[in-house]
Amino acid sequence: MDKYDRLLVIGDIHGKWERFKSVYDKVGFNAEKDLIVFLGDYLDRGENPVPVMEWVMEHYGQKNMIFLRGNHEQMFYDAFLEVQSSDGHNAFSFDSSLAMWLRNGGQITYEEIRKTGRKDELISNWLRLIAKLPLCTEMVVNDQTYWFMHANCNPDLPLAEQDDVDLLWRRTLAERPELHCGEQIIVLGHTPVQALGYEAKPQWLQNGRLVLMDTGSYLDSSNPLGAGRISCADLLSGEIYQSAV
């Protein structure tokens, strides 16, 4: 069992560098006293993905920093592995992995990577990083068990038996929190809380046993759901840190 001053978690970033940097600076992470978990979806949709990509690659492996894989990392990985294995043939067919990534927010990421003049290097380095990112993690802090994953899980199964599609893609618990009756605290990103009818801040549901951290990082005021933020929460104290809109 570990002890920390703060057990921090950051929801989806989606290429919103300025919003991410503003909330991270507010947090004042201290690697000697805190632990921080990132729930994935670092790129896509937002207009400034390259600095986020470089920041994550720089900080991966540093003390008390855990980076999980999201469905957007998985889409990126599948897209470029498919391109590499096919030598480009059929890479742009409508049902290809590349086409799926591009139409789900990857187009702006690809264009921003291309503009750097370091496209091949950045893509290669990012693919290597994604391959290392776990889909979930468990920790016990102050006698409390915490589960972290990007999207969803089956609360009644051990983490080792979870389905990858569940962990990366599904929204079952976010949409039906009453399904979680266990003692572990489950922390999720992936599903913007605004889409569920909540205000744009982390939500503690099921008597605090389910925490939703995606607060619509890439949404702006023109979106019907309203402007989003990037959020960080200290799971021990309940303190919330948020970017400006």
Side-chain angles (χ1 to χ4, degrees):
M1 185 184 72
D2 295 311
K3 291 191 178 295
Y4 302 99
D5 284 0
R6 295 183 298 175
L7 178 55
L8 301 162
V9 58
I10 288 190
D12 303 37
I13 296 171
H14 281 299
K16 299 294 287 189
W17 168 247
E18 287 78 12
R19 285 182 178 179
F20 166 66
K21 196 62 169 58
S22 74
V23 72
Y24 185 77
D25 289 346
K26 283 182 186 178
V27 168
F29 172 69
N30 183 338
E32 301 304 318
K33 298 180 178 181
D34 306 327
L35 184 139
I36 190 165
V37 181
F38 296 81
L39 296 177
D41 279 9
Y42 307 104
L43 312 182
D44 304 343
R45 305 194 193 282
E47 71 283 351
N48 212 351
V50 172
V52 178
M53 174 188 283
E54 294 177 325
W55 190 94
V56 172
M57 290 191 292
E58 177 188 347
H59 287 80
Y60 173 81
Q62 292 193 11
K63 182 177 180 179
N64 285 340
M65 302 184 91
I66 297 174
F67 294 88
L68 300 183
R69 187 186 311 190
N71 64 304
H72 281 260
E73 284 72 60
Q74 191 65 50
M75 281 192 287
F76 187 107
Y77 193 81
D78 293 343
F80 285 100
L81 259 62
E82 182 179 80
V83 169
Q84 291 171 3
S85 64
S86 67
D87 294 325
H89 296 301
N90 300 319
F92 285 94
S93 64
F94 182 79
D95 60 351
S96 71
S97 296
L98 179 61
M100 180 181 178
W101 173 60
L102 291 173
R103 66 175 176 263
N104 279 280
Q107 184 70 52
I108 189 166
T109 297
Y110 183 78
E111 289 301 320
E112 291 301 309
I113 290 173
R114 186 184 58 78
K115 288 177 187 176
T116 66
R118 298 181 288 120
K119 176 171 73 75
D120 291 347
E121 174 194 348
L122 283 172
I123 289 173
S124 177
N125 289 342
W126 192 243
L127 287 173
R128 279 197 292 271
L129 177 72
I130 293 171
K132 300 175 186 176
L133 299 180
L135 273 61
C136 57
T137 192
E138 174 183 287
M139 60 190 64
V140 178
V141 179
N142 300 341
D143 296 318
Q144 173 64 56
T145 298
Y146 294 84
W147 285 7
F148 299 87
M149 63 281 299
H150 177 66
N152 191 56
C153 70
N154 181 340
D156 301 321
L157 284 180
L159 280 188
E161 298 177 20
Q162 297 288 333
D163 177 66
D164 289 0
V165 175
D166 238 359
L167 295 171
L168 288 170
W169 287 96
R170 295 192 179 116
R171 306 181 190 275
T172 311
L173 284 182
E175 294 173 344
R176 298 182 61 197
E178 70 276 6
L179 294 175
H180 177 30
C181 300
E183 291 302 311
Q184 74 272 40
I185 294 177
I186 298 175
V187 188
L188 308 174
H190 187 55
T191 302
V193 296
Q194 300 95 310
L196 301 169
Y198 302 113
E199 62 178 303
K201 67 178 185 179
Q203 298 295 316
W204 277 260
L205 309 176
Q206 289 298 89
N207 295 316
R209 300 292 180 182
L210 181 67
V211 185
L212 305 183
M213 288 299 307
D214 183 352
T215 51
S217 56
Y218 59 90
L219 302 176
D220 59 32
S221 57
S222 66
N223 192 285
L225 295 175
R229 298 169 181 256
I230 294 175
S231 298
C232 178
D234 174 12
L235 300 177
L236 303 183
S237 69
E239 185 169 1
I240 293 171
Y241 310 83
Q242 290 192 293
S243 67
V245 174

